[in-house]
Amino acid sequence: MKVSKRGLRVAAAVAAGALTLGTLSGCAAGGNDSKTFNVWWYSGEDTAQYIAWTEALDEFKAANPDVTVNFEFKTWEQIEKSGNSILDSDKAPDLSEWNKGNGTAGAASQAGLLLNLEDYAAQYGWTDLLPASAQQVGRYTDGLMGNGDLYGVPTYGEYVGWFYNADVLSANGIDATALKSQADLEAAFATLTAAGITPIAAADYMLVHLAYNLTLNKADNDWVNAYQFFDGETDFNDAAFTQASEQIQSWTQKGYIAASASGATADDAVAAFTSGTSPFMPGGTWLDGTVAGAAKFTWGKILNPGNAVSTGSAGNIWVIPAKGKNPDLAAEFINLTLQAKAQNTMAANGGLPLLATELGDNATTAITLPLFQQLVADNGLGFYPDWPVSGYYDILKAAVIDLVAGNTTPAEYREAIGSYYEENKP
């Protein structure tokens, strides 16, 4: 998963009040004090998770008046780049949101950097509480996700689809909800381009997710199991990878994706969408709050047309670092975030809670939750492209950016991502 960089300006008001914001170095105030609970997360202030977890922290503090809560906001990039090295030090927090997948939580669990949570799961009943499909992202065996002991606990769901500007589409005779195939989608792009509109706002990690969703257009669950869990062979020149790579090149050449996207940021793409410049944006549910707050037009979401499986999963996970000092407090807080109060708060603020008992009447939830429920019901969650092998995210991003920039061919793109995968898979 990737989150908006808007979180970099996170929580000035909260830090001044209920929470104590630590430094980005990981040096917590009173770091050796057993009464200090150090917690990190990177879900930004405009996400439903942030709101629900902040409320849960207040509840935690009320129940533990002798504990000093030291909250530190991290960015996704910090965890991706330096997470394991920090876990393997005296700066490890007591609890952190963590990136799921073989290359992240899997590698950390295999290295002994994460606490095995089976005892806490039994104590609090998490195994019975959470759907088995949601637990997959937290279970690892020898670093491989999907089975084994519990090392991480999800509290929400997420997926990647298309955000769309219904006003611009309607003005051009397009109904996004009527797009049922890739051919339908491309016809819509062609209509918009002919009207002088660049259809797609995408950059940075969005291009990684776009390429994977296009790959999944010709995939099924057997394909996903082979790619993600090595349950079968993965051919990087099969119909799925070939179609996706050729579409990315073609869409750029036709002006559906601006060539300048190769040098833009994800925030640039979000701004292009929310300002009304481009009416389609491939994006994850972590952008729901951003779009809801910034868009001045009628917006909606669709899954990638024609896909049997799509990019998505249970959300990122809570982990308890093995070198943390207060695992019991960490488990207590995890449990609070799984209770109805926190889960319903998440739903009320446009999130995708796993265990909510009340969904409320939030307009964003009404747009985004039915698509997630559809994916879960159809067994259509295809996970994320960088999960299978450690360090894969950087390879995938560099390769797709080169493809969009016109520096490589589709075949060279497939070679770049395929060779790394084959060299690094277990």
Side-chain angles (χ1 to χ4, degrees), residues 17-37:
L19 304 179
T20 302
L21 187 62
T23 67
L24 290 177
S25 69
C27 297
N32 294 320
D33 181 359
S34 63
K35 293 298 185 181
T36 297
F37 175 55

Side-chain angles (χ1 to χ4, degrees), residues 47 105 115 149 173 182 196 212 214 237 282 285 294 342 386 401 407 409:
T47 66
L115 200 66
D149 287 339
Q182 292 294 96
Y212 188 55
L214 295 180
N237 289 306
T285 45
D386 57 315
I401 286 175
N407 296 331
T409 66

